[in-house]
Amino acid sequence: MSVDTDLALGAQLDVTELAQQLRVDAVRAAAAAGSGHPTSSMSAAELMAVLIAHHLRYDFADPGNPNNDHLIFSKGHASPLQYAVLRAVGAIDDDELLSFRRFGSRLEGHPTPLLPWIDVATGSLGQGLPIGAGVALAGKRFDRLPYRVWVLCGDSEMAEGSMWEAFEQAAFQQLDNLCAIVDVNRLGQRGPTMHGWDLDSYVRRIEANGWHAVAVDGHDIDAVDRAYAAACATTGRPTAIVARTRKGQGVATVADQDGFHGQPLADPDAAIRQLGGVRNLRVPVTPPPGTDRPHVFAAPGGTPPTYAVGTDVATRKAYGDALSTLGDIDPRVIALDGEVANSTYAELFAERHPERFVEAYIAEQQLIADAVGLQVRGWKPFASTFAAFLTRAHDFVRMAAVSRATLSLCGSHAGVSIGEDGPSQMGLEDLAMMRATYGSTVLCPCDANQTAQLVGALADVPGISYLRTTRAATPVIYPPDELFSVGGSAVVRESDHDRITVVAAGITVHEALRAADELAGDGIAIRVVDAYSIKPIDGAGLHEAAAATGGRIITVEDHWPEGGLGDAVLAAFTGDPDPPTVVKLAVTEMPTSGTPAELLAAAGIDATAIATTVRRLVNP
Amino acid sequence: MSVDTDLALGAQLDVTELAQQLRVDAVRAAAAAGSGHPTSSMSAAELMAVLIAHHLRYDFADPGNPNNDHLIFSKGHASPLQYAVLRAVGAIDDDELLSFRRFGSRLEGHPTPLLPWIDVATGSLGQGLPIGAGVALAGKRFDRLPYRVWVLCGDSEMAEGSMWEAFEQAAFQQLDNLCAIVDVNRLGQRGPTMHGWDLDSYVRRIEANGWHAVAVDGHDIDAVDRAYAAACATTGRPTAIVARTRKGQGVATVADQDGFHGQPLADPDAAIRQLGGVRNLRVPVTPPPGTDRPHVFAAPGGTPPTYAVGTDVATRKAYGDALSTLGDIDPRVIALDGEVANSTYAELFAERHPERFVEAYIAEQQLIADAVGLQVRGWKPFASTFAAFLTRAHDFVRMAAVSRATLSLCGSHAGVSIGEDGPSQMGLEDLAMMRATYGSTVLCPCDANQTAQLVGALADVPGISYLRTTRAATPVIYPPDELFSVGGSAVVRESDHDRITVVAAGITVHEALRAADELAGDGIAIRVVDAYSIKPIDGAGLHEAAAATGGRIITVEDHWPEGGLGDAVLAAFTGDPDPPTVVKLAVTEMPTSGTPAELLAAAGIDATAIATTVRRLVNP
């Protein structure tokens, strides 16, 4: 590979040449890596060349500039193109381009925010546009800055329902600062897409959702240029540019041919020659014109809610109260809802801070995407729905972790204790899902004062945090001044002759306390530990309790046996030379409808079941 | 509440009266339960009355009749209406209707297959239509029977992307046996939907997807009747009936008013009077006209593939080989793909059995919904995609368990060992997700012969089973005649002086064997257990190994530390009076791109890391 073209910086930019440079660099990067997706990159070369040459407003020397546009590759496998763009704008040099996919390089196989110009990780298709809609929402409603959000989408990923959640909601939110660029190269990973080059099949559906849509030849620079101009001129609704392109465009051996997805070109040197050789064009991207600062909401301050010991308050209610107060204290807090705010009590925040409340309707993937998009711009999103329905957005949570996102989730209506609504509404795998999320914090409070305090703490916890709340009102057992922290636990019943430790969290703390009362009548003292912080779990506290109670622990959780509190407690003793005997009580059969008491009993996680298990273990 | 109307069976059916009966019964059921969703039921009373009176073809005495139509309530919270329908058709009696939501009743808060006339559990919105599309696909392509699939949808759930995956794919598959009935009552749980009564906003988007769509007044019996007739007369594409309705229709205190979602009426007796009182109409639903049997595909028989010990074969390749052969052996096996069949090797099945291959494109929710729909009709679906992307369908897997579905999933490209593609493509939470699925079986083979044998076993495993495969070719270590079974494990290295047990699965078995070789050079013997069955895990085998190796276990997995192999091993020792010391090796930091070897080393799960950990534990 030789450098045979070197146009001087500042000369009139030839966008056709720039597009060829992007192709060549995509081919070179994949060739150097020995893997990657050059053909998926080559189809969109003109689309990106025109964008960076004429429409993008971005200061690459200052990626944190709040007025910068945002460019998201929803088709993250076109990372060679994204990195070629970064080289063309001077953000990375040629050596770094050729480090693509190497261990230690910032240029990963699919884009991640290891590169400061990349907002979010992509590569799980169908996520970039929903998240882009979230960033655009930040721009319109929260930052109130005129930046634009450009999202390069693939045609294969248009089959993902999450894309259509984004199309619907971006129109509903009138996000005219959002532009989807759909690269219709008609070929997916293993063959043709459903719609091939039927551009109208895309335009029709996108327009039906209320967008402005423009069909273009994606290799016609002037047409693409006009389409971007039309996007910028459109008000009140987002624009989609639906571009007919050829995968592998520019290299005859692969262009518009099936069977070349996700692999470097067989003869990169020949391909580069065919593309006109290596170039070193440098694009002087126009920086954002404004220097405005993001909008700051009023936050008069406030004190977290407190509750009188002995009253009955649902932890979901305390979540709503505390979040509402947190909005008073922290102007960057935003609450998001999946159309169940009257159940999760996020409604209390909505009533108090309507300007900072986002209704994502029953579209949990867009709910999380909005949260991810908002935190890209430094907002502090708290997204809530039923714990069970967060599973709908599992892949978005997974990718948020790859994006190193900081956001808080709250899942209400956890476990069989919700009662009559039945198993479809019961979150019984939420702890497992959230524990197995990279860098997550998982909390499960049992009491309103504890909940309120932990909600406040979450505003400053980096990464993805999760708070599980319950439907039923439960007794307030902690005074308002008792302190709780991420990683802590609380001993709620103890004596110097405890025979066993019961570790509980959430609703089961109250069952454990009732069991302790029942057992005390029989002269059996037990220690009850409230493991409200499930990840990180209080290993020291658990060790202390186990040592003090004969090395015997019972865990009890309103959750499947796998991946929840019991597994977390067991994991706290890994490496221990003399680990305790642990017995797990959890939900082992599919629950039905019934009263909370009936269902807790049927699942074997109520006070009676705990007391029975204690008796069996201490009097074997 | 009194019975003041009692029309004789067989008299000319008054559909208006029938609709009122359905309303009354929905009100009565919710009143008896003290909870439930009567107003969401009342909006669709005419829609269901007309359907069962004139269009449904179903033998309620024989719910297993293969020629029966299928009626799915995608808006599962309208269960009072569904149960009112079941009473009206004589499937359940009045006493059972009034057992709604009680512990022990088959009439759960949201529908489940505890009732034999209900195909699948609903209640997580946006799932009934995708699954209905799967059932319709079974009818057209596999059963080849003329039954129809009717799906009652809510307007709120139209915000779920999964609905639009179904709209797109049902049109693509030309499912003219599918009819979506959209009950546009304009009110969601906490307020108005995005589109209110803008029926055209629905019609436009549905038509844009290639469906036939009819807008009607959902309370106009003749109009609804004509719409159903039009659906039955439409060929080549599915039909949607978009019905303008009023939530709570028929009772002035709640009709078309916000704030009455999900609660019984305040004065049910007054409501029943206003609705004209209790009726006992009995609908003589027309049974299906045909007595045809489902199509049977040719299955000439075959023998599972075998591989020579010492050759290198990826477990994903063995999955494809074995599945292909399984198709030769079992005529009911169907393979489904999320547009990555050339990576998962499901392509091998597609090549051999094109008639029994379903391409669900990049729409993992529809992929699982198709599988659930196919198994409703007794087919044996095997759905595969990258392990990471199964998280996209987590809620569908969760609900499949509530549906007591039997289906097999395969997730390929698990763990950091995929290498250069980076973390977005790495399944690192799949074991946690699948273990925390009710009634699941979770397998993680390390070798091609083992994989092939386990794939064969899965065809007869009830419930939801999951097989994890890896990208890289790994050595075949087991002879073809070694036997593996669900719940088993294999000791792959042992001696009578083993100092410690290393429990591995999948790719890490090979690392453990390399560690054993390395340690043997130092005179340290270790036992290596291949825990290929992660759920159920071989508790007896693990106890035996622990006892034989000084009560010391190291687990090593290409997965996050939470919820995977390590937690499964720990859980195998719950209740043990003297549990072993367990040290978990797992992926604790966010991986990057790199070679498989670099990434296994960086994660601390390669042979070197295992050997180092062994040395630390045996020579503390």
Side-chain angles (χ1 to χ4, degrees):
Chain A
M1 298 177 222
S2 66
V3 177
D4 57 6
T5 308
D6 193 351
L7 302 185
L9 174 65
Q12 181 67 29
L13 191 68
D14 181 331
V15 180
T16 302
E17 279 295 298
L18 174 60
Q20 291 297 79
Q21 170 174 320
L22 297 179
R23 284 195 175 90
V24 167
D25 283 355
V27 169
R28 293 169 68 221
S35 66
H37 300 75
T39 58
S40 304
S41 296
M42 293 155 81
S43 56
E46 281 82 10
L47 291 168
M48 287 301 100
V50 176
L51 182 71
I52 62 175
H54 296 158
H55 299 278
L56 186 72
R57 299 291 175 262
Y58 199 106
D59 181 355
F60 280 89
D62 180 16
N65 185 329
N67 291 286
N68 280 341
D69 282 357
H70 295 262
L71 171 58
I72 296 172
F73 272 47
S74 194
K75 54 176 293 187
H77 56 288
S79 55
L81 177 62
Q82 189 158 25
Y83 303 147
V85 163
L86 290 179
R87 175 174 173 255
V89 302
I92 64 170
D93 63 20
D94 204 57
D95 286 346
E96 187 162 15
L97 175 71
L98 299 180
S99 74
F100 179 46
R101 289 176 164 246
R102 286 209 201 122
F103 187 67
S105 170
R106 301 187 295 179
L107 276 55
E108 299 197 67
H110 294 73
T112 71
L114 294 189
L115 288 162
W117 310 279
I118 290 181
D119 290 324
V120 289
T122 53
S124 179
L125 290 171
Q127 299 210 14
L129 184 65
I131 294 169
V135 178
L137 186 69
K140 292 290 281 191
R141 274 193 62 187
F142 301 104
D143 285 333
R144 302 182 185 176
L145 292 174
Y147 57 76
R148 292 187 175 278
V149 181
W150 310 91
V151 183
L152 179 65
C153 308
D155 49 352
S156 284
E157 68 176 329
M158 298 289 273
E160 287 282 13
S162 55
M163 297 295 276
W164 299 97
E165 295 182 12
F167 279 116
E168 181 177 30
Q169 299 216 9
F172 183 76
Q173 302 276 5
Q174 305 183 320
L175 301 179
D176 51 19
N177 55 343
L178 176 64
C179 180
I181 306 154
V182 188
D183 177 18
V184 184
N185 65 23
R186 86 168 185 88
L187 291 172
Q189 170 172 332
R190 73 171 285 265
T193 62
M194 276 183 270
H195 307 289
W197 274 327
D198 179 6
L199 294 200
D200 189 52
S201 76
Y202 297 102
V203 167
R204 204 167 56 225
R205 288 180 289 154
I206 293 169
E207 285 183 341
N209 273 284
W211 285 48
H212 173 220
V214 189
V216 295
D217 174 346
H219 302 310
D220 177 337
I221 282 173
D222 291 336
V224 170
D225 200 39
R226 286 192 302 272
Y228 285 131
C232 293
T234 299
T235 56
R237 55 189 176 144
T239 294
I241 296 171
V242 180
R244 177 184 163 126
T245 64
R246 287 164 29 114
K247 196 164 178 172
Q249 167 78 352
V251 175
T253 50
V254 296
D256 189 35
Q257 288 178 62
D258 201 7
F260 295 102
H261 182 92
Q263 50 187 273
L265 300 197
D267 187 345
D269 287 335
I272 293 164
R273 277 194 303 276
Q274 194 174 145
L275 290 165
V278 175
R279 291 132 172 114
N280 291 301
L281 292 170
R282 166 79 187 274
V283 183
V285 173
T286 307
T291 56
D292 292 346
R293 306 304 306 167
H295 179 73
V296 176
F297 289 89
T303 45
T306 58
Y307 307 88
V309 171
T311 55
D312 287 335
V313 183
T315 52
R316 60 180 171 136
K317 170 70 163 52
Y319 171 78
D321 289 336
L323 187 62
S324 185
T325 304
L326 192 61
D328 292 337
I329 297 167
D330 188 332
R332 300 193 75 74
V333 167
I334 294 173
L336 302 97
D337 170 40
E339 227 275 279
V340 289
N342 49 342
S343 291
T344 61
Y345 281 102
E347 195 169 61
L348 298 174
F349 184 99
E351 288 163 6
R352 193 172 185 92
H353 307 284
E355 283 191 312
R356 282 189 274 153
F357 176 75
V358 176
E359 180 54 79
Y361 296 90
I362 304 185
E364 292 80 8
Q365 295 183 96
Q366 188 58 48
L367 172 70
I368 304 303
D370 280 337
V372 173
L374 292 173
Q375 66 83 43
V376 162
R377 286 289 314 123
W379 297 96
K380 293 183 177 177
F382 280 69
S384 52
T385 182
F386 283 26
F389 304 146
L390 284 172
T391 57
R392 197 62 154 264
H394 190 169
D395 196 29
F396 279 74
V397 173
R398 179 182 76 87
M399 288 297 295
V402 185
S403 293
R404 281 71 167 176
T406 286
L407 51 87
S408 297
L409 305 176
C410 174
S412 71
H413 293 68
V416 304
S417 71
I418 69 162
E420 290 78 0
D421 271 327
S424 64
Q425 318 294 301
M426 294 170 178
L428 287 163
E429 54 291 292
D430 55 323
L431 298 177
M433 169 180 150
M434 294 308 309
R435 277 183 72 230
T437 295
Y438 173 73
S440 64
T441 298
V442 179
L443 305 176
C444 181
C446 71
D447 151 291
N449 284 320
Q450 188 182 54
T451 304
Q453 214 179 100
L454 292 173
V455 169
L458 286 185
D460 300 310
V461 172
I464 295 169
S465 52
Y466 174 63
L467 185 93
R468 176 189 233 216
T469 64
T470 44
R471 178 175 183 273
T474 45
V476 175
I477 60 172
Y478 295 114
D481 58 353
E482 185 151 344
L483 295 180
F484 305 97
S485 59
V486 172
S489 67
V491 178
V492 286
R493 185 69 59 91
E494 67 179 323
S495 72
D496 54 10
H497 50 283
D498 293 332
R499 308 277 300 277
I500 196 165
T501 296
V502 174
V503 181
I507 194 97
T508 59
V509 170
H510 304 285
E511 299 298 324
L513 287 171
R514 285 176 44 220
D517 290 342
E518 180 183 329
L519 291 161
D522 298 349
I524 301 173
I526 67 171
R527 184 160 302 192
V528 178
V529 173
D530 171 7
Y532 60 84
S533 178
I534 291 179
K535 182 183 175 188
I537 198 152
D538 180 9
L542 291 173
H543 274 81
E544 192 179 324
T549 61
R552 284 187 293 259
I553 289 179
I554 296 171
T555 65
V556 53
E557 60 194 307
D558 195 356
H559 188 275
W560 299 129
E562 298 88 5
L565 174 66
D567 279 4
V569 169
L570 283 165
F573 291 96
T574 51
D576 199 281
D578 185 21
T581 294
V582 176
V583 170
K584 283 203 282 192
L585 300 181
V587 182
T588 57
E589 297 301 323
M590 182 59 72
T592 61
S593 290
T595 65
E598 286 168 338
L599 298 180
L600 289 166
I605 56 171
D606 69 343
T608 303
I610 296 167
T612 302
T613 307
V614 168
R615 286 193 190 96
R616 178 169 62 79
L617 289 173
V618 301
N619 303 312
Chain B
M1 301 178 218
S2 65
V3 176
D4 58 5
T5 309
D6 193 349
L7 302 185
L9 173 65
Q12 181 66 31
L13 191 69
D14 182 330
V15 180
T16 302
E17 280 294 298
L18 175 60
Q20 291 297 78
Q21 170 174 318
L22 297 179
R23 285 196 175 91
V24 167
D25 283 356
V27 169
R28 292 169 68 221
S35 66
H37 300 75
T39 58
S40 304
S41 297
M42 294 156 81
S43 56
E46 281 82 9
L47 291 168
M48 287 301 101
V50 176
L51 182 69
I52 61 174
H54 296 160
H55 299 279
L56 187 71
R57 299 290 175 264
Y58 198 104
D59 181 355
F60 280 91
D62 180 17
N65 185 329
N67 290 288
N68 279 341
D69 281 359
H70 294 263
L71 172 58
I72 296 172
F73 272 48
S74 194
K75 53 177 294 187
H77 56 289
S79 55
L81 177 61
Q82 189 158 24
Y83 303 147
V85 163
L86 289 178
R87 176 174 172 254
V89 301
I92 64 171
D93 63 19
D94 204 57
D95 285 348
E96 187 161 15
L97 176 72
L98 300 180
S99 74
F100 179 47
R101 290 175 164 248
R102 286 209 201 121
F103 187 66
S105 170
R106 301 186 295 178
L107 275 57
E108 298 197 67
H110 294 74
T112 72
L114 294 188
L115 288 162
W117 310 279
I118 290 180
D119 290 323
V120 289
T122 53
S124 179
L125 290 171
Q127 299 210 14
L129 185 64
I131 293 169
V135 177
L137 187 68
K140 292 290 279 190
R141 275 192 62 188
F142 301 105
D143 286 332
R144 303 184 184 175
L145 291 174
Y147 58 76
R148 292 185 175 279
V149 181
W150 309 91
V151 183
L152 180 66
C153 308
D155 50 351
S156 285
E157 69 177 327
M158 299 288 274
E160 287 283 12
S162 55
M163 297 295 275
W164 299 97
E165 294 182 13
F167 279 115
E168 181 177 31
Q169 299 216 8
F172 183 74
Q173 302 277 5
Q174 304 184 319
L175 301 179
D176 51 18
N177 55 344
L178 176 65
C179 180
I181 308 154
V182 188
D183 177 19
V184 184
N185 67 24
R186 89 169 183 87
L187 290 172
Q189 168 171 334
R190 73 171 286 266
T193 62
M194 274 182 270
H195 307 287
W197 274 326
D198 179 5
L199 294 201
D200 189 53
S201 76
Y202 297 102
V203 168
R204 203 166 57 225
R205 288 181 288 154
I206 293 169
E207 284 183 340
N209 273 283
W211 286 47
H212 173 220
V214 188
V216 295
D217 174 346
H219 302 309
D220 178 337
I221 281 174
D222 291 336
V224 169
D225 201 38
R226 285 193 301 273
Y228 284 131
C232 293
T234 300
T235 57
R237 56 190 175 143
T239 294
I241 297 171
V242 180
R244 178 184 162 126
T245 64
R246 287 164 29 113
K247 196 166 180 171
Q249 167 78 354
V251 176
T253 49
V254 295
D256 189 35
Q257 287 178 61
D258 201 8
F260 294 101
H261 182 93
Q263 50 187 273
L265 301 196
D267 187 345
D269 288 334
I272 292 165
R273 277 195 301 276
Q274 195 175 146
L275 291 165
V278 175
R279 288 123 171 125
N280 290 302
L281 291 171
R282 167 80 186 275
V283 183
V285 173
T286 307
T291 56
D292 291 345
R293 307 302 307 167
H295 178 73
V296 177
F297 288 90
T303 43
T306 58
Y307 306 89
V309 170
T311 54
D312 287 335
V313 183
T315 52
R316 60 179 171 136
K317 171 69 165 49
Y319 170 78
D321 289 335
L323 188 62
S324 186
T325 304
L326 192 60
D328 292 338
I329 296 167
D330 188 332
R332 300 192 75 75
V333 166
I334 294 173
L336 301 97
D337 169 41
E339 228 273 279
V340 288
N342 51 341
S343 291
T344 61
Y345 282 102
E347 195 168 60
L348 298 176
F349 184 100
E351 287 163 6
R352 193 172 184 90
H353 307 284
E355 283 191 312
R356 283 190 273 152
F357 177 75
V358 176
E359 180 53 80
Y361 296 91
I362 304 184
E364 293 79 8
Q365 296 183 97
Q366 188 59 46
L367 172 70
I368 304 303
D370 280 338
V372 173
L374 292 173
Q375 65 83 43
V376 162
R377 287 289 313 123
W379 299 96
K380 293 183 176 177
F382 280 71
S384 51
T385 181
F386 284 26
F389 304 146
L390 284 172
T391 58
R392 197 61 155 266
H394 190 169
D395 197 28
F396 280 74
V397 173
R398 179 182 76 87
M399 287 298 295
V402 185
S403 294
R404 281 70 166 176
T406 286
L407 51 87
S408 297
L409 305 176
C410 175
S412 72
H413 292 69
V416 303
S417 70
I418 70 162
E420 290 79 0
D421 271 328
S424 65
Q425 318 294 302
M426 296 171 178
L428 287 163
E429 54 290 294
D430 55 323
L431 299 176
M433 168 179 151
M434 294 308 309
R435 277 183 71 230
T437 295
Y438 172 73
S440 64
T441 297
V442 180
L443 305 176
C444 181
C446 71
D447 152 290
N449 285 318
Q450 187 181 54
T451 303
Q453 212 178 104
L454 292 173
V455 169
L458 286 185
D460 300 310
V461 173
I464 295 168
S465 52
Y466 174 63
L467 185 93
R468 176 189 234 216
T469 64
T470 43
R471 179 174 183 274
T474 46
V476 175
I477 60 171
Y478 295 113
D481 59 353
E482 184 151 344
L483 296 180
F484 306 97
S485 59
V486 171
S489 67
V491 178
V492 286
R493 185 69 59 92
E494 68 180 323
S495 72
D496 54 10
H497 50 282
D498 293 332
R499 308 277 301 276
I500 196 165
T501 295
V502 174
V503 182
I507 194 94
T508 60
V509 169
H510 305 283
E511 298 299 324
L513 286 171
R514 286 175 44 218
D517 290 342
E518 179 182 330
L519 289 161
D522 299 350
I524 302 173
I526 67 170
R527 184 159 303 193
V528 178
V529 173
D530 171 8
Y532 60 84
S533 180
I534 291 179
K535 181 184 175 188
I537 198 154
D538 181 9
L542 291 172
H543 274 80
E544 191 180 324
T549 60
R552 284 187 293 258
I553 289 179
I554 296 171
T555 64
V556 55
E557 61 194 309
D558 195 357
H559 187 274
W560 300 127
E562 298 88 6
L565 174 66
D567 279 6
V569 169
L570 284 164
F573 292 95
T574 50
D576 199 280
D578 185 23
T581 294
V582 176
V583 170
K584 283 203 282 191
L585 301 181
V587 182
T588 56
E589 297 300 324
M590 182 59 71
T592 61
S593 290
T595 65
E598 285 168 338
L599 297 180
L600 289 166
I605 56 170
D606 68 345
T608 304
I610 296 167
T612 303
T613 308
V614 168
R615 286 193 191 94
R616 178 168 61 78
L617 290 173
V618 301
N619 302 312

